[in-house]
Amino acid sequence: FNPAHEGHLHLADMARRQLGLDEIWWLVSPQNPLKPSDGMAPLRARLDGARHLVASRHHIRVMAPEVEFGTTLTHRTLLRLRQRCPRHRFCWLMGADNLVGFASWQRHDVIARTMPIAVIDRPGYSYAALSKGRLLLDHACRRDGLPPRHCADPEQRQPGASSLGADTMRRQQLCGDKAERMARTKAPKI
């Protein structure tokens, strides 16, 4: 969100409709550890800009929990959110461009086990994201002792097996079935 723009808004609205989400939380990071700080607007300016952009969309909340949590690492942020909000059912939304580099994120395996991931297509990234997602899925399956085809097929997946890859990109299965979708009434104080 440097800065938040209409593309973010479009993808949030699309994800909400397609996944049946109650809310979308935009987590504005003080500093993405994989991006240079040069050219990064101050956090306050990015928060204000994002809040202004979503002012008419009450289903989108803009926040910067990493400031309070004292981290800029996604895996730590997601674990803290789950601890802080145990009754919430979260789904991590990421653009296909981020899936391409997901293996370089610190503890991407923890992120994938912490909550379901929905990968939102972005023009120019579909093929690369599918290829990288498939490699991550195959790696997770080998780690869990499953043949890769079992991980890609939700009917064959064993309990506890990782599920990051091609099946997370199929629209009808993003973030699981309706029982796995987010069910919350309001965001807690973070």
Side-chain angles (χ1 to χ4, degrees):
F1 300 109
N2 185 40
H5 53 74
E6 292 291 329
H8 292 121
L9 204 53
H10 172 74
L11 293 176
D13 289 341
M14 182 181 68
R16 181 173 183 245
R17 279 191 313 277
Q18 291 183 355
L19 301 173
L21 304 175
D22 295 326
E23 290 183 342
I24 304 286
W25 292 3
W26 283 5
L27 307 179
V28 181
S29 179
Q31 175 61 53
N32 180 330
L34 297 176
K35 293 186 179 179
S37 59
D38 292 345
M40 182 71 66
L43 178 61
R44 174 58 43 205
R46 291 183 289 123
L47 282 168
D48 290 346
R51 288 179 177 139
H52 177 75
L53 184 65
V54 304
S56 66
R57 288 180 169 80
H58 302 291
H59 61 276
I60 300 177
R61 297 182 184 269
V62 178
M63 59 187 80
E66 291 176 336
V67 172
E68 180 185 338
F69 297 165
T71 185
T72 58
L73 299 176
T74 302
H75 74 279
R76 290 183 181 156
T77 300
L78 299 184
L79 289 170
R80 291 291 303 271
L81 282 174
R82 296 226 27 215
Q83 291 169 350
R84 195 63 77 84
C85 312
R87 288 184 259 165
H88 285 56
R89 300 190 100 144
F90 290 106
C91 177
W92 178 255
L93 303 177
M94 88 165 55
D97 56 322
N98 282 313
L99 181 59
V100 172
F102 188 60
S104 65
W105 292 24
Q106 190 174 96
R107 300 308 311 264
H108 65 276
D109 58 324
V110 172
I111 296 168
R113 284 193 305 268
T114 300
M115 63 184 59
I117 298 173
V119 177
I120 310 300
D121 193 16
R122 289 194 57 192
Y125 288 96
S126 299
Y127 181 76
L130 283 169
S131 297
K132 291 290 186 174
R134 185 65 200 177
L135 290 173
L136 289 169
L137 177 65
D138 288 347
H139 173 75
C141 287
R142 283 192 301 278
R143 183 197 63 229
D144 294 339
L146 297 172
R149 63 183 166 75
H150 285 197
C151 286
D153 182 356
E155 299 300 318
Q156 299 294 320
R157 192 178 306 124
Q158 295 178 4
S162 297
S163 60
L164 174 66
D167 63 316
T168 62
M169 292 185 208
R170 289 197 300 244
R171 195 171 15 156
Q172 58 272 53
Q173 293 175 347
L174 294 178
C175 292
D177 61 21
K178 290 190 186 269
E180 290 297 318
R181 293 188 181 148
M182 295 165 77
R184 64 182 151 216
T185 55
K186 63 179 185 176
K189 278 190 167 180
I190 303 247

